[in-house]
Amino acid sequence: VRLWHRNDPTGYRDLPTGAGPARGVAFDRAGEYLAAAASGPTPAAVVWSTADLREPVARIPVQKKEYGPSVAFAAAADRLAVAGPDGVRLFAPPFRSPAATIRPATEPAVVAVSPDGRLVAAGVGEDVGVYAADGTRVANLTGHRGPVL
């Protein structure tokens, strides 16, 4: 992951994931954490504290299947969603164990979290499943003309 400072576009910092190339990145609402979805031989969601970028504060292993991991933070809640073949796991700092797991029928390719952290959307094939944070499905959005990535 390459990180630039907005006031110095020529200066940057490389943050090695230790898990392969980044497939996506997300900042938390306060800018205190940066998460990367790293795919490769050892896929993982890697989380850094922006106060000290030397080492990640968490590495959340994700089994590799078809898509690799996806990450998203809720805008108004300290909640990180990590999608992989085993579903969507929801974490709060310090990102050690999931507070909840949502299990769509198949591997989600992408995940998004509502600003308040109460809803999670998981792109599965050509559908988007919308779930409450406790895993209850509240809607299924269909009719997309291709995979939701």
Side-chain angles (χ1 to χ4, degrees):
V1 174
R2 184 164 282 180
L3 187 64
W4 282 268
H5 190 282
R6 65 186 170 112
N7 293 332
D8 184 6
T10 61
Y12 65 87
R13 181 173 198 152
D14 284 330
L15 305 175
T17 66
R23 184 174 178 271
V25 295
F27 280 100
D28 77 319
R29 66 184 167 128
E32 294 175 357
Y33 295 102
L34 170 66
S39 60
T42 56
V46 183
V47 183
W48 291 269
S49 165
T50 57
D52 182 1
L53 295 167
R54 289 177 290 187
E55 291 293 323
V57 296
R59 269 184 215 284
I60 303 164
V62 178
Q63 295 177 346
K64 178 142 178 137
K65 196 169 178 187
E66 186 172 350
Y67 296 106
S70 176
V71 295
F73 276 104
D78 288 333
R79 187 166 294 199
L80 171 65
V82 178
D86 52 351
V88 179
R89 293 176 288 163
L90 302 175
F91 294 85
F95 313 105
R96 300 288 182 243
S97 59
T101 301
I102 297 167
R103 300 195 188 280
T106 59
E107 177 185 5
V110 66
V111 66
V113 185
S114 67
D116 62 6
R118 291 199 265 170
L119 296 175
V120 176
V124 177
E126 294 183 1
D127 296 336
V128 176
V130 181
Y131 300 84
D134 68 2
T136 305
R137 183 187 290 255
V138 296
N140 193 41
L141 310 176
T142 61
H144 301 91
R145 294 184 179 181
V148 177
L149 301 172

